[in-house]
Amino acid sequence: MSSPLKVAIVGASGKVGSFVVKQLTNDPTHFATPLALVRTPEQVKHWKSEIGIDAKLTSIENDDVETIAKAIKGVDAMVFSAGAGGKGVERIFTVDLDGCLKVAEACEQVGVKRFILVSAIMAENRKFWWNLTGLREYYIAKRSADRKYIHANKAEADFAEHKEIARQDVALFIKEALLHPKETNRKTIPLVNGTVPVNDFIKELA
Ligand SMILES: NC(=O)c1ccc[n+]([C@@H]2O[C@H](COP(=O)([O-])OP(=O)(O)OC[C@H]3O[C@@H](n4cnc5c(N)ncnc54)[C@H](OP(=O)(O)O)[C@@H]3O)[C@@H](O)[C@H]2O)c1
Protein backbone atom coordinates (compact mmCIF):
# COMPACT_ATOMS: atom_id res chain seq x y z
CA MET A 1 0.00 0.00 0.00
CA SER A 2 1.24 3.54 -0.74
CA SER A 3 2.22 5.81 2.15
CA PRO A 4 -0.44 8.06 3.74
CA LEU A 5 -1.12 11.30 1.86
CA LYS A 6 -0.10 14.56 3.47
CA VAL A 7 -2.83 17.09 2.64
CA ALA A 8 -2.73 20.85 3.18
CA ILE A 9 -5.97 22.80 3.54
CA VAL A 10 -6.47 26.50 2.91
CA GLY A 11 -9.69 27.50 4.63
CA ALA A 12 -9.42 24.77 7.29
CA SER A 13 -11.26 26.93 9.82
CA GLY A 14 -14.23 27.33 7.50
CA LYS A 15 -17.28 25.08 7.31
CA VAL A 16 -16.18 22.81 4.46
CA GLY A 17 -12.54 22.98 5.55
CA SER A 18 -13.19 21.77 9.07
CA PHE A 19 -15.26 18.83 7.77
CA VAL A 20 -12.36 17.98 5.45
CA VAL A 21 -9.96 17.98 8.41
CA LYS A 22 -12.32 15.58 10.23
CA GLN A 23 -12.56 13.27 7.24
CA LEU A 24 -8.78 13.08 6.91
CA THR A 25 -7.97 12.67 10.60
CA ASN A 26 -10.58 9.88 10.85
CA ASP A 27 -8.72 7.89 8.20
CA PRO A 28 -5.09 7.63 9.37
CA THR A 29 -4.50 4.61 7.16
CA HIS A 30 -4.73 6.74 4.05
CA PHE A 31 -3.92 10.23 5.36
CA ALA A 32 -1.00 11.64 7.35
CA THR A 33 -1.64 14.43 9.84
CA PRO A 34 -3.12 17.28 7.74
CA LEU A 35 -1.63 20.76 7.54
CA ALA A 36 -3.93 23.76 8.04
CA LEU A 37 -2.79 27.04 6.48
CA VAL A 38 -4.46 29.72 8.56
CA ARG A 39 -4.29 33.44 8.97
CA THR A 40 -4.22 34.14 12.72
CA PRO A 41 -1.94 32.96 15.55
CA GLU A 42 -5.07 31.93 17.49
CA GLN A 43 -6.05 29.56 14.69
CA VAL A 44 -2.55 28.05 14.66
CA LYS A 45 -2.84 27.45 18.40
CA HIS A 46 -6.34 25.97 18.01
CA TRP A 47 -5.35 23.50 15.31
CA LYS A 48 -2.07 22.48 16.91
CA SER A 49 -2.92 22.29 20.62
CA GLU A 50 -6.65 21.63 20.65
CA ILE A 51 -7.11 19.49 17.53
CA GLY A 52 -3.60 18.07 17.17
CA ILE A 53 -2.91 18.68 13.50
CA ASP A 54 -0.14 20.72 11.85
CA ALA A 55 -0.81 24.40 11.27
CA LYS A 56 1.10 27.30 9.74
CA LEU A 57 0.41 31.00 9.71
CA THR A 58 0.16 31.89 6.01
CA SER A 59 -1.70 34.72 4.34
CA ILE A 60 -2.87 33.91 0.84
CA GLU A 61 -3.60 37.59 0.35
CA ASN A 62 -0.43 39.19 1.66
CA ASP A 63 2.25 36.51 1.34
CA ASP A 64 3.98 35.99 -1.98
CA VAL A 65 3.99 32.71 -3.90
CA GLU A 66 7.48 31.79 -2.64
CA THR A 67 6.40 32.15 1.01
CA ILE A 68 3.30 30.03 0.43
CA ALA A 69 5.46 27.47 -1.42
CA LYS A 70 7.84 27.23 1.53
CA ALA A 71 4.91 26.58 3.88
CA ILE A 72 3.57 23.67 1.82
CA LYS A 73 6.85 21.98 0.90
CA GLY A 74 6.51 18.23 1.34
CA VAL A 75 2.73 17.97 1.09
CA ASP A 76 1.17 15.61 -1.47
CA ALA A 77 -2.11 17.41 -2.10
CA MET A 78 -3.80 20.76 -1.59
CA VAL A 79 -7.45 21.42 -0.79
CA PHE A 80 -8.49 25.03 -1.37
CA SER A 81 -11.76 25.77 0.40
CA ALA A 82 -11.12 29.38 1.38
CA GLY A 83 -13.56 32.05 0.31
CA ALA A 84 -14.09 35.72 0.99
CA GLY A 85 -17.73 34.99 1.82
CA GLY A 86 -19.00 37.88 -0.23
CA LYS A 87 -17.14 40.49 1.84
CA GLY A 88 -16.69 43.00 -0.93
CA VAL A 89 -15.43 42.87 -4.47
CA GLU A 90 -11.81 43.56 -3.55
CA ARG A 91 -11.65 40.59 -1.18
CA ILE A 92 -13.40 38.35 -3.71
CA PHE A 93 -10.56 39.10 -6.11
CA THR A 94 -7.73 38.85 -3.56
CA VAL A 95 -9.01 35.63 -1.92
CA ASP A 96 -11.24 33.65 -4.30
CA LEU A 97 -9.29 34.59 -7.42
CA ASP A 98 -5.72 35.77 -6.84
CA GLY A 99 -5.37 33.91 -3.51
CA CYS A 100 -6.37 30.70 -5.20
CA LEU A 101 -4.04 31.28 -8.16
CA LYS A 102 -1.13 32.04 -5.80
CA VAL A 103 -1.70 28.80 -3.91
CA ALA A 104 -1.88 26.90 -7.23
CA GLU A 105 1.38 28.52 -8.37
CA ALA A 106 3.00 27.65 -5.04
CA CYS A 107 1.92 24.04 -5.57
CA GLU A 108 3.54 24.06 -9.00
CA GLN A 109 6.77 25.47 -7.51
CA VAL A 110 7.19 22.68 -4.98
CA GLY A 111 5.68 19.85 -7.02
CA VAL A 112 2.37 19.35 -5.21
CA LYS A 113 0.63 17.24 -7.82
CA ARG A 114 -2.98 17.30 -6.63
CA PHE A 115 -5.09 20.42 -6.19
CA ILE A 116 -8.73 20.28 -5.20
CA LEU A 117 -10.58 23.57 -5.52
CA VAL A 118 -13.97 23.93 -3.87
CA SER A 119 -15.65 26.12 -6.45
CA ALA A 120 -19.23 27.24 -7.00
CA ILE A 121 -21.83 25.24 -8.87
CA MET A 122 -22.64 26.51 -12.35
CA ALA A 123 -19.53 28.68 -12.38
CA GLU A 124 -18.95 27.65 -15.98
CA ASN A 125 -22.36 28.90 -17.07
CA ARG A 126 -22.09 32.65 -17.45
CA LYS A 127 -25.74 32.94 -18.48
CA PHE A 128 -26.73 31.42 -15.12
CA TRP A 129 -24.87 33.91 -12.95
CA TRP A 130 -24.48 37.11 -14.95
CA ASN A 131 -27.71 38.60 -13.62
CA LEU A 132 -27.60 37.15 -10.11
CA THR A 133 -27.67 40.17 -7.83
CA GLY A 134 -24.48 40.51 -5.82
CA LEU A 135 -22.93 37.29 -7.12
CA ARG A 136 -21.52 38.28 -10.49
CA GLU A 137 -18.04 39.18 -9.20
CA TYR A 138 -17.91 36.06 -7.02
CA TYR A 139 -18.71 33.87 -10.02
CA ILE A 140 -16.21 35.70 -12.22
CA ALA A 141 -13.54 34.93 -9.62
CA LYS A 142 -14.55 31.26 -9.26
CA ARG A 143 -14.81 30.66 -12.98
CA SER A 144 -11.45 32.27 -13.65
CA ALA A 145 -9.74 30.30 -10.87
CA ASP A 146 -11.28 27.04 -12.15
CA ARG A 147 -10.03 27.64 -15.64
CA LYS A 148 -6.36 27.61 -14.60
CA TYR A 149 -6.40 23.89 -15.30
CA ILE A 150 -9.70 22.43 -16.29
CA HIS A 151 -12.82 22.60 -18.37
CA ALA A 152 -16.40 22.08 -17.38
CA ASN A 153 -18.62 19.12 -17.95
CA LYS A 154 -22.27 18.54 -17.25
CA ALA A 155 -22.95 21.04 -14.47
CA GLU A 156 -26.20 22.30 -15.92
CA ALA A 157 -27.93 18.95 -16.23
CA ASP A 158 -27.05 17.94 -12.67
CA PHE A 159 -28.13 21.24 -11.17
CA ALA A 160 -31.53 21.10 -12.83
CA GLU A 161 -32.55 18.06 -10.75
CA HIS A 162 -31.21 18.87 -7.29
CA LYS A 163 -30.09 22.20 -5.96
CA GLU A 164 -28.04 21.67 -2.84
CA ILE A 165 -25.30 19.70 -1.21
CA ALA A 166 -24.49 19.46 2.50
CA ARG A 167 -21.01 20.66 3.35
CA GLN A 168 -20.26 17.36 5.12
CA ASP A 169 -20.89 15.62 1.81
CA VAL A 170 -18.58 18.01 -0.03
CA ALA A 171 -15.89 17.07 2.50
CA LEU A 172 -16.57 13.35 2.09
CA PHE A 173 -16.29 13.71 -1.66
CA ILE A 174 -13.00 15.61 -1.31
CA LYS A 175 -11.56 12.74 0.74
CA GLU A 176 -12.74 10.20 -1.84
CA ALA A 177 -11.38 12.32 -4.69
CA LEU A 178 -7.98 12.35 -2.98
CA LEU A 179 -8.13 8.56 -2.83
CA HIS A 180 -9.25 8.20 -6.47
CA PRO A 181 -6.98 10.37 -8.61
CA LYS A 182 -7.55 8.37 -11.78
CA GLU A 183 -11.28 9.05 -11.73
CA THR A 184 -11.16 12.68 -10.59
CA ASN A 185 -7.95 14.32 -11.88
CA ARG A 186 -8.30 17.39 -14.07
CA LYS A 187 -12.07 17.43 -13.87
CA THR A 188 -14.71 19.93 -12.87
CA ILE A 189 -17.13 17.80 -10.88
CA PRO A 190 -20.51 19.34 -10.12
CA LEU A 191 -21.90 17.98 -6.86
CA VAL A 192 -25.44 17.97 -5.54
CA ASN A 193 -27.10 15.65 -3.03
CA GLY A 194 -28.86 12.75 -4.66
CA THR A 195 -29.39 9.04 -4.35
CA VAL A 196 -26.11 7.65 -5.72
CA PRO A 197 -23.60 6.56 -3.05
CA VAL A 198 -20.31 8.44 -3.31
CA ASN A 199 -18.28 5.37 -4.29
CA ASP A 200 -20.61 4.53 -7.18
CA PHE A 201 -20.56 8.16 -8.28
CA ILE A 202 -16.75 8.16 -8.33
CA LYS A 203 -16.72 4.99 -10.45
CA GLU A 204 -19.03 6.69 -12.94
CA LEU A 205 -16.45 9.46 -13.38
CA ALA A 206 -13.77 7.10 -14.71
N1 LIG B 1 -23.17 27.80 -4.14
C1 LIG B 1 -21.96 27.33 -4.10
O1 LIG B 1 -21.52 26.76 -5.06
C2 LIG B 1 -21.17 27.47 -2.84
C3 LIG B 1 -21.85 27.56 -1.66
C4 LIG B 1 -21.10 27.67 -0.51
C5 LIG B 1 -19.71 27.72 -0.57
N2 LIG B 1 -19.06 27.65 -1.75
C6 LIG B 1 -17.59 27.73 -1.80
O2 LIG B 1 -17.07 26.70 -0.99
C7 LIG B 1 -15.89 27.12 -0.32
C8 LIG B 1 -15.99 26.81 1.18
O3 LIG B 1 -17.16 27.38 1.69
P1 LIG B 1 -17.48 27.41 3.26
O4 LIG B 1 -18.93 27.43 3.40
O5 LIG B 1 -16.64 26.41 3.97
O6 LIG B 1 -16.93 28.89 3.59
P2 LIG B 1 -16.57 29.52 5.00
O7 LIG B 1 -17.13 28.74 6.12
O8 LIG B 1 -16.90 30.97 4.88
O9 LIG B 1 -14.99 29.35 5.06
C9 LIG B 1 -14.15 30.11 4.28
C10 LIG B 1 -12.75 29.99 4.80
O10 LIG B 1 -11.94 30.86 4.01
C11 LIG B 1 -11.03 31.45 4.87
N3 LIG B 1 -10.51 32.73 4.36
C12 LIG B 1 -11.19 33.84 4.08
N4 LIG B 1 -10.33 34.81 3.71
C13 LIG B 1 -9.09 34.27 3.80
C14 LIG B 1 -7.79 34.75 3.58
N5 LIG B 1 -7.59 36.00 3.18
N6 LIG B 1 -6.76 33.93 3.76
C15 LIG B 1 -6.96 32.65 4.16
N7 LIG B 1 -8.16 32.12 4.39
C16 LIG B 1 -9.22 32.94 4.22
C17 LIG B 1 -11.79 31.70 6.16
O11 LIG B 1 -10.83 31.86 7.17
P3 LIG B 1 -11.19 32.41 8.64
O12 LIG B 1 -11.70 31.20 9.35
O13 LIG B 1 -9.87 32.88 9.11
O14 LIG B 1 -12.21 33.50 8.47
C18 LIG B 1 -12.56 30.40 6.26
O15 LIG B 1 -11.81 29.43 6.92
C19 LIG B 1 -15.74 28.61 -0.61
O16 LIG B 1 -14.76 28.78 -1.62
C20 LIG B 1 -17.10 29.02 -1.14
O17 LIG B 1 -17.00 30.06 -2.06
C21 LIG B 1 -19.77 27.51 -2.89
Side-chain angles (χ1 to χ4, degrees), residues 130-191:
W130 188 256
N131 290 315
L132 290 181
T133 312
L135 284 174
R136 186 187 293 168
E137 291 83 2
Y138 169 72
Y139 269 103
I140 289 172
K142 286 296 197 186
R143 180 179 187 275
S144 306
D146 279 353
R147 289 180 77 87
K148 182 158 166 68
Y149 294 118
I150 45 184
H151 296 283
N153 51 22
K154 52 191 180 60
E156 207 166 348
D158 288 337
F159 191 61
E161 278 190 37
H162 309 275
K163 297 220 184 283
E164 290 179 349
I165 183 161
R167 286 176 170 86
Q168 288 98 320
D169 294 330
V170 175
L172 170 65
F173 184 80
I174 289 170
K175 182 192 96 166
E176 292 298 329
L178 288 164
L179 295 175
H180 294 87
K182 192 162 59 69
E183 293 87 346
T184 54
N185 260 353
R186 304 188 76 80
K187 286 184 180 156
T188 299
I189 303 170
L191 288 177

Coordinates of all heavy atoms in Angstrom, one line a residue, residues 130-191:
W130 N -24.8 35.7 -14.6 CA -24.5 37.1 -15.0 C -25.5 38.1 -14.3 O -25.1 39.2 -13.9 CB -24.5 37.2 -16.5 CG -24.0 38.6 -16.9 CD1 -24.8 39.6 -17.4 CD2 -22.7 39.1 -17.0 NE1 -24.0 40.7 -17.7 CE2 -22.7 40.4 -17.4 CE3 -21.5 38.5 -16.6 CZ2 -21.6 41.2 -17.6 CZ3 -20.3 39.2 -16.8 CH2 -20.4 40.6 -17.3
N131 N -26.7 37.7 -14.2 CA -27.7 38.6 -13.6 C -28.1 38.3 -12.2 O -29.1 38.8 -11.7 CB -29.0 38.6 -14.5 CG -28.7 39.3 -15.8 OD1 -28.1 40.4 -15.9 ND2 -29.1 38.7 -16.9
L132 N -27.3 37.4 -11.5 CA -27.6 37.1 -10.1 C -27.1 38.3 -9.2 O -25.9 38.6 -9.2 CB -26.9 35.8 -9.6 CG -27.4 34.5 -10.2 CD1 -26.6 33.4 -9.6 CD2 -28.9 34.4 -9.9
T133 N -28.0 39.0 -8.6 CA -27.7 40.2 -7.8 C -26.6 39.9 -6.8 O -26.8 39.0 -6.0 CB -28.9 40.7 -7.1 OG1 -30.0 40.8 -8.1 CG2 -28.7 42.1 -6.6
G134 N -25.5 40.6 -6.8 CA -24.5 40.5 -5.8 C -23.5 39.3 -6.0 O -22.6 39.1 -5.2
L135 N -23.8 38.5 -7.0 CA -22.9 37.3 -7.1 C -22.1 37.3 -8.4 O -21.2 36.4 -8.5 CB -23.8 36.0 -7.1 CG -24.4 35.6 -5.8 CD1 -25.3 34.4 -5.9 CD2 -23.2 35.2 -4.8
R136 N -22.2 38.3 -9.2 CA -21.5 38.3 -10.5 C -20.0 38.3 -10.3 O -19.3 37.4 -10.9 CB -21.9 39.5 -11.3 CG -21.3 39.4 -12.7 CD -21.5 40.7 -13.5 NE -22.9 40.9 -13.8 CZ -23.5 42.0 -14.3 NH1 -22.7 43.1 -14.5 NH2 -24.7 42.1 -14.5
E137 N -19.5 39.1 -9.4 CA -18.0 39.2 -9.2 C -17.5 37.9 -8.6 O -16.4 37.4 -8.9 CB -17.7 40.4 -8.3 CG -17.9 41.7 -8.9 CD -19.3 42.2 -8.9 OE1 -20.1 41.5 -8.2 OE2 -19.6 43.3 -9.4
Y138 N -18.3 37.3 -7.6 CA -17.9 36.1 -7.0 C -17.8 35.0 -8.1 O -16.8 34.2 -8.1 CB -19.0 35.7 -6.0 CG -18.9 34.3 -5.4 CD1 -17.9 33.9 -4.5 CD2 -19.8 33.3 -5.8 CE1 -17.8 32.6 -4.0 CE2 -19.8 32.1 -5.3 CZ -18.8 31.7 -4.4 OH -18.7 30.4 -3.9
Y139 N -18.8 34.9 -9.0 CA -18.7 33.9 -10.0 C -17.6 34.1 -11.0 O -17.0 33.2 -11.5 CB -20.1 33.7 -10.7 CG -21.0 32.7 -10.0 CD1 -22.0 33.1 -9.2 CD2 -20.7 31.3 -10.3 CE1 -22.8 32.1 -8.6 CE2 -21.5 30.4 -9.6 CZ -22.5 30.8 -8.8 OH -23.3 29.8 -8.2
I140 N -17.3 35.4 -11.3 CA -16.2 35.7 -12.2 C -14.9 35.2 -11.6 O -14.1 34.5 -12.3 CB -16.1 37.2 -12.5 CG1 -17.3 37.7 -13.4 CG2 -14.8 37.6 -13.2 CD1 -17.3 39.2 -13.5
A141 N -14.8 35.4 -10.3 CA -13.5 34.9 -9.6 C -13.5 33.4 -9.6 O -12.4 32.8 -9.9 CB -13.5 35.4 -8.2
K142 N -14.6 32.7 -9.3 CA -14.6 31.3 -9.3 C -14.3 30.7 -10.6 O -13.5 29.8 -10.8 CB -15.9 30.7 -8.7 CG -16.1 30.9 -7.2 CD -15.0 30.1 -6.5 CE -15.4 30.0 -5.0 NZ -14.3 29.3 -4.2
R143 N -15.0 31.2 -11.6 CA -14.8 30.7 -13.0 C -13.4 30.8 -13.5 O -12.8 29.9 -14.0 CB -15.8 31.4 -14.0 CG -15.6 30.8 -15.4 CD -16.6 31.5 -16.3 NE -16.6 31.0 -17.6 CZ -15.8 31.3 -18.6 NH1 -14.9 32.2 -18.3 NH2 -15.9 30.7 -19.7
S144 N -12.8 32.0 -13.2 CA -11.5 32.3 -13.6 C -10.5 31.4 -12.9 O -9.5 30.9 -13.5 CB -11.1 33.7 -13.5 OG -12.1 34.5 -14.1
A145 N -10.7 31.2 -11.6 CA -9.7 30.3 -10.9 C -9.9 28.9 -11.4 O -8.9 28.2 -11.6 CB -10.1 30.4 -9.4
D146 N -11.1 28.4 -11.6 CA -11.3 27.0 -12.1 C -10.5 26.8 -13.4 O -10.0 25.8 -13.7 CB -12.8 26.8 -12.5 CG -13.6 26.5 -11.3 OD1 -13.1 26.3 -10.2 OD2 -14.9 26.5 -11.5
R147 N -10.5 27.8 -14.3 CA -10.0 27.6 -15.6 C -8.5 27.6 -15.7 O -8.0 27.5 -16.8 CB -10.6 28.7 -16.6 CG -12.1 28.4 -16.8 CD -12.7 29.4 -17.7 NE -12.4 29.1 -19.1 CZ -13.0 28.3 -19.9 NH1 -14.1 27.6 -19.5 NH2 -12.7 28.1 -21.2
K148 N -7.8 27.8 -14.6 CA -6.4 27.6 -14.6 C -6.0 26.2 -15.2 O -5.0 26.1 -15.9 CB -5.8 27.8 -13.2 CG -4.3 27.7 -13.2 CD -3.7 28.4 -11.9 CE -2.3 28.1 -11.7 NZ -1.4 28.6 -12.6
Y149 N -6.8 25.2 -14.9 CA -6.4 23.9 -15.3 C -7.4 23.1 -16.1 O -7.1 22.2 -16.8 CB -6.1 23.0 -14.1 CG -4.9 23.5 -13.3 CD1 -5.0 23.9 -12.0 CD2 -3.6 23.5 -13.9 CE1 -3.9 24.3 -11.3 CE2 -2.5 23.9 -13.2 CZ -2.6 24.3 -11.9 OH -1.6 24.7 -11.2
I150 N -8.7 23.4 -15.9 CA -9.7 22.4 -16.3 C -10.9 23.0 -17.0 O -11.1 24.2 -16.9 CB -10.2 21.6 -15.1 CG1 -10.5 22.6 -13.9 CG2 -9.3 20.5 -14.7 CD1 -11.0 21.9 -12.7
H151 N -11.6 22.2 -17.7 CA -12.8 22.6 -18.4 C -14.1 21.9 -17.8 O -14.0 20.9 -17.2 CB -12.7 22.3 -19.9 CG -11.5 23.0 -20.4 ND1 -11.6 24.4 -20.8 CD2 -10.3 22.7 -20.7 CE1 -10.4 24.8 -21.2 NE2 -9.6 23.8 -21.2
A152 N -15.2 22.6 -18.0 CA -16.4 22.1 -17.4 C -17.0 20.8 -18.0 O -16.6 20.5 -19.2 CB -17.4 23.2 -17.5
N153 N -17.8 20.1 -17.3 CA -18.6 19.1 -18.0 C -20.1 19.4 -17.6 O -20.5 20.6 -17.6 CB -18.2 17.7 -17.6 CG -18.0 17.5 -16.1 OD1 -18.6 18.2 -15.4 ND2 -17.2 16.6 -15.7
K154 N -20.8 18.4 -17.2 CA -22.3 18.5 -17.3 C -22.9 19.2 -16.0 O -23.9 18.7 -15.5 CB -22.9 17.2 -17.5 CG -22.3 16.1 -16.4 CD -22.7 14.7 -16.9 CE -22.2 13.7 -15.9 NZ -22.7 13.8 -14.5
A155 N -22.4 20.4 -15.6 CA -23.0 21.0 -14.5 C -24.4 21.4 -14.6 O -25.2 21.2 -13.7 CB -22.2 22.3 -14.2
E156 N -24.8 21.8 -15.8 CA -26.2 22.3 -15.9 C -27.2 21.2 -15.7 O -28.2 21.4 -14.9 CB -26.4 22.9 -17.3 CG -27.4 23.9 -17.4 CD -27.3 24.7 -18.7 OE1 -26.3 24.5 -19.4 OE2 -28.3 25.4 -19.0
A157 N -27.0 20.1 -16.3 CA -27.9 18.9 -16.2 C -28.1 18.5 -14.8 O -29.2 18.3 -14.3 CB -27.4 17.8 -17.1
D158 N -27.0 18.4 -14.1 CA -27.1 17.9 -12.7 C -27.8 18.9 -11.8 O -28.6 18.6 -11.0 CB -25.7 17.8 -12.1 CG -25.0 16.6 -12.7 OD1 -25.7 15.7 -13.1 OD2 -23.7 16.5 -12.7
F159 N -27.6 20.2 -12.0 CA -28.1 21.2 -11.2 C -29.6 21.4 -11.4 O -30.4 21.7 -10.5 CB -27.4 22.6 -11.5 CG -27.8 23.6 -10.4 CD1 -27.4 23.4 -9.1 CD2 -28.4 24.8 -10.8 CE1 -27.7 24.4 -8.2 CE2 -28.7 25.8 -9.9 CZ -28.3 25.6 -8.6
A160 N -30.1 21.0 -12.6 CA -31.5 21.1 -12.8 C -32.3 20.2 -11.9 O -33.5 20.5 -11.6 CB -31.8 20.8 -14.3
E161 N -31.8 19.0 -11.5 CA -32.5 18.1 -10.7 C -32.5 18.3 -9.3 O -33.5 18.2 -8.6 CB -32.0 16.7 -11.0 CG -32.6 16.1 -12.3 CD -32.3 14.7 -12.5 OE1 -32.3 13.9 -11.5 OE2 -32.1 14.3 -13.6
H162 N -31.3 18.6 -8.7 CA -31.2 18.9 -7.3 C -30.5 20.2 -7.2 O -29.7 20.6 -8.0 CB -30.4 17.8 -6.6 CG -30.8 16.4 -6.9 ND1 -31.8 15.8 -6.2 CD2 -30.4 15.5 -7.9 CE1 -32.0 14.6 -6.7 NE2 -31.2 14.4 -7.8
K163 N -30.7 20.9 -6.0 CA -30.1 22.2 -6.0 C -29.1 22.4 -4.9 O -28.5 23.4 -4.8 CB -31.2 23.2 -5.8 CG -32.2 23.2 -7.0 CD -32.6 24.6 -7.4 CE -33.6 24.7 -8.5 NZ -33.0 24.5 -9.8
E164 N -28.9 21.4 -4.0 CA -28.0 21.7 -2.8 C -27.1 20.5 -2.5 O -27.4 19.4 -2.9 CB -28.9 21.9 -1.6 CG -29.6 23.2 -1.7 CD -30.5 23.4 -0.4 OE1 -30.7 22.5 0.3 OE2 -31.0 24.5 -0.3
I165 N -26.1 20.8 -1.8 CA -25.3 19.7 -1.2 C -24.9 20.1 0.2 O -24.5 21.3 0.4 CB -24.1 19.3 -2.1 CG1 -23.4 18.1 -1.4 CG2 -23.2 20.5 -2.3 CD1 -22.5 17.4 -2.4
A166 N -24.9 19.2 1.1 CA -24.5 19.5 2.5 C -23.0 19.6 2.5 O -22.3 18.8 1.8 CB -24.9 18.3 3.4
R167 N -22.5 20.5 3.3 CA -21.0 20.7 3.3 C -20.3 19.4 3.8 O -19.1 19.1 3.4 CB -20.7 21.9 4.2 CG -21.0 23.2 3.5 CD -20.8 24.4 4.3 NE -20.8 25.6 3.6 CZ -22.0 26.3 3.3 NH1 -23.1 25.8 3.8 NH2 -22.0 27.4 2.6
Q168 N -20.9 18.6 4.7 CA -20.3 17.4 5.1 C -20.0 16.4 3.9 O -19.1 15.7 3.8 CB -21.2 16.6 6.1 CG -21.2 17.2 7.5 CD -22.5 18.0 7.7 OE1 -22.9 18.7 6.7 NE2 -23.1 17.9 8.8
D169 N -21.0 16.5 3.0 CA -20.9 15.6 1.8 C -19.8 16.1 0.8 O -19.2 15.4 0.1 CB -22.3 15.5 1.1 CG -23.2 14.7 2.0 OD1 -22.8 13.9 2.8 OD2 -24.4 15.0 2.0
V170 N -19.7 17.5 0.8 CA -18.6 18.0 0.0 C -17.3 17.5 0.5 O -16.4 17.0 -0.2 CB -18.6 19.6 0.0 CG1 -17.4 20.1 -0.7 CG2 -19.9 20.1 -0.6
A171 N -17.1 17.5 1.9 CA -15.9 17.1 2.5 C -15.6 15.6 2.3 O -14.5 15.2 2.0 CB -15.9 17.4 4.0
L172 N -16.7 14.8 2.4 CA -16.6 13.3 2.1 C -16.1 13.1 0.7 O -15.2 12.3 0.4 CB -17.9 12.7 2.3 CG -18.0 11.2 1.9 CD1 -17.1 10.3 2.7 CD2 -19.5 10.7 2.0
F173 N -16.7 13.9 -0.3 CA -16.3 13.7 -1.7 C -14.8 14.1 -1.9 O -14.1 13.5 -2.6 CB -17.2 14.5 -2.6 CG -16.8 14.3 -4.0 CD1 -17.3 13.1 -4.7 CD2 -16.0 15.1 -4.7 CE1 -16.9 12.9 -6.0 CE2 -15.6 14.9 -6.0 CZ -16.1 13.7 -6.6
I174 N -14.4 15.2 -1.2 CA -13.0 15.6 -1.3 C -12.1 14.5 -0.9 O -11.1 14.2 -1.5 CB -12.8 16.9 -0.5 CG1 -13.5 18.1 -1.2 CG2 -11.3 17.2 -0.3 CD1 -13.5 19.4 -0.4
K175 N -12.4 13.9 0.3 CA -11.6 12.7 0.7 C -11.5 11.6 -0.3 O -10.5 11.1 -0.7 CB -12.1 12.2 2.0 CG -11.3 11.1 2.6 CD -11.9 10.3 3.7 CE -12.6 9.1 3.2 NZ -13.0 8.1 4.2
E176 N -12.7 11.3 -0.8 CA -12.7 10.2 -1.8 C -12.0 10.6 -3.1 O -11.3 9.8 -3.7 CB -14.2 9.8 -2.2 CG -14.9 9.2 -1.0 CD -14.3 7.8 -0.6 OE1 -13.7 7.1 -1.4 OE2 -14.4 7.5 0.6
A177 N -12.1 11.9 -3.5 CA -11.4 12.3 -4.7 C -9.9 12.2 -4.5 O -9.1 11.8 -5.4 CB -11.8 13.8 -5.0
L178 N -9.4 12.5 -3.3 CA -8.0 12.3 -3.0 C -7.5 10.9 -3.1 O -6.4 10.6 -3.5 CB -7.7 12.9 -1.6 CG -7.7 14.4 -1.4 CD1 -7.8 14.8 0.1 CD2 -6.5 15.1 -2.1
L179 N -8.5 10.0 -2.8 CA -8.1 8.6 -2.8 C -8.3 8.0 -4.2 O -7.9 6.9 -4.5 CB -9.0 7.8 -1.8 CG -8.8 8.1 -0.4 CD1 -9.8 7.3 0.5 CD2 -7.3 7.8 0.0
H180 N -9.0 8.7 -5.1 CA -9.3 8.2 -6.5 C -8.8 9.2 -7.5 O -9.6 9.8 -8.3 CB -10.8 7.9 -6.6 CG -11.3 6.8 -5.8 ND1 -11.7 7.0 -4.5 CD2 -11.4 5.5 -6.0 CE1 -12.1 5.9 -3.9 NE2 -11.9 4.9 -4.8
P181 N -7.5 9.4 -7.6 CA -7.0 10.4 -8.6 C -7.3 10.0 -10.1 O -7.7 10.9 -10.8 CB -5.5 10.4 -8.4 CG -5.2 9.1 -7.6 CD -6.4 8.8 -6.9
K182 N -7.3 8.8 -10.4 CA -7.6 8.4 -11.8 C -8.9 8.8 -12.2 O -9.1 9.3 -13.3 CB -7.4 6.8 -11.9 CG -7.4 6.3 -13.3 CD -6.8 4.9 -13.3 CE -7.6 3.9 -12.5 NZ -9.0 3.5 -13.0
E183 N -9.9 8.7 -11.4 CA -11.3 9.1 -11.7 C -11.6 10.6 -11.7 O -12.5 11.1 -12.3 CB -12.3 8.4 -10.8 CG -12.3 6.8 -10.9 CD -11.3 6.1 -10.0 OE1 -10.3 6.8 -9.5 OE2 -11.4 4.9 -9.9
T184 N -10.8 11.3 -10.9 CA -11.2 12.7 -10.6 C -10.2 13.7 -11.1 O -10.5 14.9 -11.1 CB -11.3 12.9 -9.1 OG1 -10.1 12.4 -8.4 CG2 -12.5 12.1 -8.5
N185 N -9.0 13.3 -11.5 CA -7.9 14.3 -11.9 C -8.4 15.2 -13.1 O -9.0 14.7 -14.0 CB -6.7 13.6 -12.3 CG -5.6 13.6 -11.2 OD1 -5.8 14.3 -10.2 ND2 -4.5 12.9 -11.4
R186 N -8.1 16.4 -13.0 CA -8.3 17.4 -14.1 C -9.8 17.4 -14.5 O -10.1 17.5 -15.7 CB -7.4 17.1 -15.3 CG -5.9 17.1 -14.9 CD -5.0 17.0 -16.1 NE -4.9 18.2 -16.8 CZ -4.1 19.3 -16.4 NH1 -3.4 19.2 -15.3 NH2 -4.1 20.4 -17.1
K187 N -10.6 17.4 -13.5 CA -12.1 17.4 -13.9 C -12.8 18.5 -13.0 O -12.4 18.7 -11.9 CB -12.7 16.1 -13.6 CG -12.4 15.0 -14.6 CD -13.1 13.7 -14.4 CE -12.7 12.8 -15.5 NZ -12.8 11.4 -15.1
T188 N -13.7 19.1 -13.6 CA -14.7 19.9 -12.9 C -15.8 19.0 -12.5 O -16.5 18.4 -13.4 CB -15.3 21.1 -13.7 OG1 -14.2 21.9 -14.1 CG2 -16.3 21.9 -12.9
I189 N -16.1 18.8 -11.3 CA -17.1 17.8 -10.9 C -18.3 18.5 -10.1 O -18.1 18.8 -9.0 CB -16.5 16.7 -10.0 CG1 -15.3 16.1 -10.8 CG2 -17.5 15.6 -9.6 CD1 -14.5 15.1 -10.0
P190 N -19.4 18.7 -10.8 CA -20.5 19.3 -10.1 C -21.1 18.4 -9.1 O -21.3 17.2 -9.4 CB -21.5 19.6 -11.2 CG -20.9 19.2 -12.5 CD -19.7 18.4 -12.2
L191 N -21.4 18.9 -7.9 CA -21.9 18.0 -6.9 C -23.2 18.5 -6.3 O -23.3 19.7 -5.9 CB -20.9 17.9 -5.7 CG -19.6 17.2 -5.9 CD1 -18.8 17.3 -4.6 CD2 -19.9 15.7 -6.2

